[in-house]
Amino acid sequence: MSVSTAYCEAWEGFWRDTPEGPGAAIFDCDAELAAGTHLPLLQPFADATLPIVDIGCGTGTQTRYLAAHFNRAVGVDLSQEAVAHARRADAGKVAEFRQLNAADPAAVDELHNNLGDANVYMRAVVHQSEPSARPAIAAAVATLIGSRGRAFVVELLSRSKSVLAQAAQGPSGPPPKLASIFDHGLTPAEADDALIPELFRSLGLTVLASGETDLVMTEHRADGSRIDLPAQWMVLGRDG
């Protein structure tokens, strides 16, 4: 299963129109507020000598952080424009960045063959994917971790939609970074909460740990308060 041309074009357009620089995209928060808080939840389960793959890496902010904690860090994104952003932002060349359609099993198999079993970091990818592609995205995680890797997956909860809707109803309409998401036809928080862990369980993965958190955004409401979005997280692996 792949993704539609319209979906690919939406993300290419989003990243083409997103300025350079940290925090220009609504979800491109400082790594200390994302991977920095997630990594301690993954580390007790993960072998840091394995590579880590950041699925949906965007500008690579989180990938570069993860590169300091794993032998090899590879950021992958559906969008060529996002990968170009990430490569330009990685002045120290601490990570690798590749275009990858995670809903394409052949492409995911090729990456696994190249890396071997890997850990996976995936932040807010399933919830905004096309419904028909979600099982393939979950399968990509299962393929990449193989028998030895572990995955940290964090996804928006459905109640994030009301948070976003309220933020969009300010006196001037949606703040600019949120407006960009809507303008490009992207649809956050569209996946059913119970569906996400079940997608992984159906592939034979075990939820080793789980909980709720907030995903930190880089946008603010009209009153100056930051827009953070409720999310669920889980560490995934295979028994034995």
Side-chain angles (χ1 to χ4, degrees), residues 20-72:
E20 299 285 330
I26 188 171
F27 41 77
D28 189 26
C29 71
D30 186 278
E32 293 289 347
L33 302 175
T37 65
H38 301 149
L39 188 57
L41 301 171
L42 172 63
Q43 282 175 319
F45 302 94
D47 179 353
T49 67
L50 299 179
I52 190 161
V53 179
D54 180 8
I55 298 178
C57 67
T59 61
T61 300
Q62 313 307 321
T63 322
R64 296 192 301 275
Y65 180 91
L66 294 167
H69 300 275
F70 292 86
N71 280 352
R72 183 179 182 185

Side-chain angles (χ1 to χ4, degrees), residues 87-130:
R87 287 173 175 162
R88 289 192 294 270
D90 189 15
K93 307 300 180 190
V94 300
E96 304 166 47
F97 298 99
R98 309 179 186 187
Q99 190 277 334
L100 178 79
N101 177 0
D104 180 348
V108 174
D109 283 341
E110 182 178 356
L111 180 60
H112 181 251
N113 290 339
N114 175 263
L115 296 178
D117 289 355
N119 299 301
V120 166
Y121 179 72
M122 188 167 75
R123 183 173 66 109
V125 172
V126 174
H127 77 92
Q128 50 75 27
S129 297
E130 294 174 310

Side-chain angles (χ1 to χ4, degrees), residues 125-240:
V125 172
V126 174
H127 77 92
Q128 50 75 27
S129 297
E130 294 174 310
S132 59
R134 289 170 190 157
I137 300 293
V141 173
T143 296
L144 290 171
I145 68 172
S147 61
R148 297 189 297 145
R150 297 290 185 264
F152 184 89
V153 173
V154 58
E155 293 288 341
L156 295 185
L157 290 165
S158 57
R159 63 179 184 268
S160 293
K161 291 178 69 174
S162 62
V163 177
L164 292 169
Q166 290 167 3
Q169 292 170 2
S172 302
K177 296 176 191 179
L178 179 56
S180 180
I181 291 286
F182 295 149
D183 290 346
H184 287 89
L186 302 171
T187 54
E190 285 296 326
D192 178 80
D193 297 345
L195 168 71
I196 293 174
E198 187 52 39
L199 280 174
F200 295 106
R201 290 191 182 101
S202 70
L203 294 163
L205 300 185
T206 299
V207 177
L208 302 171
S210 63
E212 292 192 7
T213 188
D214 284 334
L215 284 186
V216 173
M217 300 290 106
T218 66
E219 188 58 283
H220 296 76
R221 300 174 180 84
D223 65 5
S225 61
R226 192 176 65 199
I227 301 171
D228 292 345
L229 301 175
Q232 60 177 319
W233 64 267
M234 63 202 80
V235 177
L236 301 163
R238 297 188 191 277
D239 290 333

